[in-house]
Amino acid sequence: MGKPKQTHILTFLAFQLGGIGVSGLSAQEADSPYTYFFKLRAGLTAGDIQKTHFDNKVMSMATEVRRKMFGAGQAISAELAFEYVPGRHHDIYPWDSNPILANDGISGLNPRYSFDNRKEYGQGVNLRLAYSAPLHIPNFNSDFEWFAGLSVDMFKVSTEVDYTFNFTPNTQNPAYPNYDGNTFVEQGSAFVPGVFGGVKCQLTKEIVFEMSLRNFGMRHYEFTPVSYFEKDTAKYGKKEYGKSSTGISRGWALEFALAVKI
């Protein structure tokens, strides 16, 4: 009869210790200085990026780890995002000045059948490091914070070039060609630093809304067909005789994000 009583006592103690262990683990998680989020973000761009892309959108999804530091609601955070900055086809030929003329100075470009079409867009990763602190806004009961930090972008940028220049037939020189054109895609990437800052609002215990202003950049490829500046028609239609250069196209983005605690 003694053994069953001992068994009941041991079982009771095991349940009690297990309960203490679970509650202790929950307390550790509640007291953890780290918080993790998953984010969806979209924004509108302005500046050179909007001009070179002929588009004004940026979209991303990200994960963020946040650590409480320095007390009084202050924290630092690190975020890694995958971003897409789209572009649209557009004609860049300067029709207002129409600089292309034939080598005899008489026959020129036929605008009805000519264009210089470009499309540039990029996708890649973005790393952001930020500091945040409480922000008091009068007449609002929600919890607000301000944040600011530095970022590094690395986009793989694709530039599509498609141009066709149809010239008025030259009756004085039948050997003169009436066409210059080519189609190709140029790709490349570059690390570009940036800055950002904004405010965030705690909508629920699990969801945060963010609004930020960001300055960032990405690689830009510039190409000028040979017929823009050369009258030697034997070089027409060949990429290697054109002028090309690479640089950084920068701009601003007004971004909005929803962050969900994970």
Side-chain angles (χ1 to χ4, degrees), residues 37-41 60-64 79 210 257-260:
F37 293 92
F38 173 75
K39 294 184 180 181
L40 291 177
R41 178 184 286 115
S60 66
M61 56 183 179
T63 56
E64 178 190 82
E79 176 188 308
E210 293 183 4
L258 280 178
V260 180

Side-chain angles (χ1 to χ4, degrees), residues 57-87:
K57 294 179 286 294
V58 56
M59 296 162 279
S60 66
M61 56 183 179
T63 56
E64 178 190 82
V65 57
R66 170 187 170 99
R67 190 184 193 283
K68 297 178 183 177
M69 292 187 71
F70 315 117
Q74 302 172 77
I76 59 172
S77 61
E79 176 188 308
L80 182 64
F82 173 79
E83 293 191 313
Y84 176 60
V85 185

Side-chain angles (χ1 to χ4, degrees), residues 1-261:
M1 297 295 291
K3 288 185 178 180
K5 290 183 178 179
Q6 291 178 356
T7 302
H8 290 312
I9 293 173
L10 292 174
T11 303
F12 174 77
L13 290 174
F15 276 112
Q16 291 299 312
L17 290 174
I20 293 173
V22 171
S23 62
L25 180 60
S26 300
Q28 288 179 5
E29 290 179 351
D31 295 337
S32 173
Y34 294 96
T35 311
Y36 304 90
F37 293 92
F38 173 75
K39 294 184 180 181
L40 291 177
R41 178 184 286 115
L44 299 174
T45 62
D48 288 342
I49 283 184
Q50 183 182 8
K51 296 176 183 177
T52 56
H53 288 212
F54 202 63
D55 205 313
N56 66 342
K57 294 179 286 294
V58 56
M59 296 162 279
S60 66
M61 56 183 179
T63 56
E64 178 190 82
V65 57
R66 170 187 170 99
R67 190 184 193 283
K68 297 178 183 177
M69 292 187 71
F70 315 117
Q74 302 172 77
I76 59 172
S77 61
E79 176 188 308
L80 182 64
F82 173 79
E83 293 191 313
Y84 176 60
V85 185
R88 292 186 293 166
H89 290 280
H90 60 291
D91 190 352
I92 69 165
Y93 185 78
W95 292 107
D96 54 342
S97 59
N98 196 9
I100 297 180
L101 293 175
N103 58 353
D104 60 2
I106 300 174
S107 301
L109 188 67
N110 186 337
R112 184 175 181 180
Y113 303 105
S114 303
F115 59 86
D116 190 352
N117 187 282
R118 307 294 172 92
K119 179 182 178 180
E120 188 164 270
Y121 54 96
Q123 57 186 6
V125 294
N126 165 254
L127 176 63
R128 305 189 190 193
L129 302 175
Y131 166 81
S132 60
L135 175 65
H136 176 67
I137 299 180
N139 302 321
F140 279 89
N141 296 324
S142 300
D143 293 329
F144 284 88
E145 291 183 5
W146 68 268
F147 60 91
L150 303 175
S151 64
V152 176
D153 297 281
M154 206 287 284
F155 290 97
K156 180 180 179 181
V157 179
S158 299
T159 306
E160 299 178 6
V161 179
D162 180 13
Y163 62 95
T164 294
F165 299 134
N166 189 291
F167 299 97
T168 302
N170 187 341
T171 56
Q172 298 177 356
N173 183 8
Y176 176 75
N178 64 347
Y179 169 81
D180 175 29
N182 205 334
T183 300
F184 62 91
V185 177
E186 183 76 17
Q187 293 183 324
S189 58
F191 285 97
V192 184
V195 295
F196 64 93
V199 295
K200 61 177 65 177
C201 173
Q202 189 85 32
L203 299 180
T204 69
K205 291 183 178 180
E206 308 295 330
I207 300 177
V208 177
F209 172 77
E210 293 183 4
M211 180 176 69
S212 60
L213 182 64
R214 169 189 176 199
N215 183 272
F216 71 113
M218 55 198 304
R219 181 184 186 270
H220 170 62
Y221 175 78
E222 193 74 37
F223 178 78
T224 304
V226 63
S227 56
Y228 272 63
F229 56 87
E230 177 65 67
K231 304 307 179 184
D232 183 358
T233 59
K235 298 179 180 180
Y236 286 9
K238 299 177 182 179
K239 175 187 175 183
E240 61 269 24
Y241 291 115
K243 294 179 180 179
S244 62
S245 63
T246 59
I248 300 299
S249 179
R250 298 196 69 92
W252 295 90
L254 178 63
E255 299 179 321
F256 305 91
L258 280 178
V260 180
K261 189 181 295 186

